[in-house]
């Protein structure tokens, strides 16, 4: 849009209903060719951000569809095919995000902005078949967090994910830190895996920008739609 302020006003208009999922991101100081005032091209960065957004949209679409189908009927034969599609998407996404990480271009707040940083995290969060890769990214993001260069809440989720995956891989009972990871019990209700310091979990969650654990637990069980789970 020229001028870009026209798009800003369009986004601010609450009466405008977008067609399909979309995200508006403003790249300050770039020209028509995505070059900055120094003439440096930022095309690769913009395209990488777009690609991450596309991959996450597809990942989330498949996962929500699978979750909803499971909650409606855990024995539905279509679940097997849906699970295969979700796993295949995760495999393709993993290849993309691993390539970015190995090139030293993993999106951070300072380099790519919040949206790309979060989208990259989602792909890593769902890369459960590659635990060692999740560990490496976790170490990288912990360092970035010390510089306030990544989203703290996302880091908390990844810390829990890695802890749970490591325990399950070793055949041990999982113990997490923030209470973000769980499973469905035989009644269809969501239950968090055991928490390392349950007494002070809300204090820790607050430090990482997360809400109260009880509220999170309530929301997760509301998503099941099962009355008994929402008590």
């Amino acid at each position: 849009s020229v001028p870009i302020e026209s798009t800003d006003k369009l986004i601010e208009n609450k009466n405008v209903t977008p067609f399909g999922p979309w995200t508006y991101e403003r790249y300050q100081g770039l020209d028509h060719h995505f070059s900055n005032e120094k003439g440096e091209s930022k095309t690769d960065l913009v395209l990488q951000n777009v690609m991450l957004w596309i991959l996450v949209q597809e990942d989330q679409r498949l996962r929500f569809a699978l979750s909803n189908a499971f909650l409606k009927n855990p024995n539905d034969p279509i679940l097997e095919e849906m699970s295969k599609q979700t796993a295949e998407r995760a495999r393709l996404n993993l290849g993309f995000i691993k390539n970015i990480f190995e090139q030293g271009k993993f999106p951070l707040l300072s380099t790519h902005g919040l949206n790309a940083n979060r989208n990259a995290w989602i792909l890593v969060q769902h890369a459960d078949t590659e635990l060692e890769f999740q560990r490496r990214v976790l170490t990288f993001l912990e360092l970035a967090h010390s510089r306030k260069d990544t989203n703290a809440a996302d880091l908390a989720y990844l810390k829990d994910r890695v802890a749970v995956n490591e325990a399950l891989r070793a055949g041990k009972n999982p113990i997490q830190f923030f209470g973000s990871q769980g499973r469905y019990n035989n009644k269809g209700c969501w239950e968090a895996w055991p928490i390392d310091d349950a007494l002070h979990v809300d204090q820790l969650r607050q430090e990482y920008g997360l809400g109260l654990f009880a509220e999170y637990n309530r929301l997760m069980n509301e998503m099941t739609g099962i009355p008994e789970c929402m008590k």
Side-chain angles (χ1 to χ4, degrees):
S1 174
V2 181
I4 194 172
E5 286 78 12
S6 300
T7 304
D8 291 340
K9 291 179 179 179
L10 180 66
I11 298 302
E12 293 169 2
N13 188 340
K14 305 303 180 183
N15 296 320
V16 175
T17 303
F19 177 77
W22 62 285
T23 298
Y24 175 59
E25 188 158 355
R26 203 181 202 276
Y27 291 88
Q28 189 71 28
L30 302 188
D31 62 18
H32 286 295
H33 306 286
F34 300 126
S35 295
N36 61 19
E37 63 277 3
K38 297 179 181 179
E40 300 167 334
S41 175
K42 298 297 180 180
T43 301
D44 287 349
L45 180 147
V46 174
L47 293 180
Q48 187 181 96
N49 287 8
V50 171
M51 191 63 187
L52 283 167
W53 183 87
I54 292 172
L55 295 182
V56 167
Q57 291 296 316
E58 185 64 4
D59 172 270
Q60 296 295 77
R61 183 186 70 81
L62 290 170
R63 287 177 184 275
F64 278 114
L66 176 60
S67 177
N68 290 335
F70 174 81
L71 291 172
K72 288 180 180 178
N73 180 8
N75 300 311
D76 193 329
I78 198 175
L79 292 175
E80 182 177 356
E81 179 59 29
M82 294 179 73
S83 296
K84 289 181 180 179
Q85 292 178 3
T86 304
E88 176 62 11
R89 170 45 53 195
R91 185 186 70 80
L92 295 172
N93 289 352
L94 173 61
F96 183 82
I97 196 63
K98 281 185 73 173
N99 184 52
I100 290 176
F101 184 75
E102 297 299 343
Q103 292 181 36
K105 298 179 180 179
F106 193 91
L108 296 172
L109 298 179
S110 61
T111 58
H112 291 66
L114 177 60
N115 288 331
N117 178 242
R118 297 210 68 191
N119 286 336
W121 157 74
I122 288 175
L123 299 188
V124 175
Q125 185 80 355
H126 294 161
D128 296 314
T129 59
E130 291 278 352
L131 178 55
E132 181 56 35
F133 175 63
Q134 286 183 324
R135 287 195 194 103
R136 292 173 63 200
V137 177
L138 175 60
T139 300
F140 173 79
L141 291 182
E142 285 178 327
L143 180 59
H145 176 249
S146 69
R147 307 190 304 267
K148 295 181 171 54
D149 206 8
T150 193
N151 188 49
D154 296 339
L155 174 61
Y157 274 77
L158 186 58
K159 286 172 69 74
D160 275 358
R161 191 82 163 210
V162 169
V164 169
N165 283 342
E166 285 180 337
L168 292 176
R169 186 74 60 86
K172 300 178 180 179
N173 293 324
I175 297 179
Q176 58 184 325
F177 306 100
F178 302 88
S180 68
Q181 305 299 297
R183 71 289 197 198
Y184 295 104
N185 62 24
N186 55 11
K187 295 180 181 179
C189 301
W190 186 86
E191 288 183 352
W193 292 107
I195 300 171
D196 178 57
D197 186 0
L199 185 63
H200 300 100
V201 67
D202 282 335
Q203 179 180 335
L204 182 61
R205 288 175 64 89
Q206 184 179 23
E207 292 174 6
Y208 280 75
L210 297 170
L212 298 177
F213 172 71
E215 178 66 10
Y216 177 75
N217 185 69
R218 182 185 67 79
L219 291 173
M220 291 299 292
N221 275 292
E222 277 189 357
M223 291 174 60
T224 68
I226 301 174
E228 186 176 350
C229 301
M230 296 186 282
K231 293 179 179 179

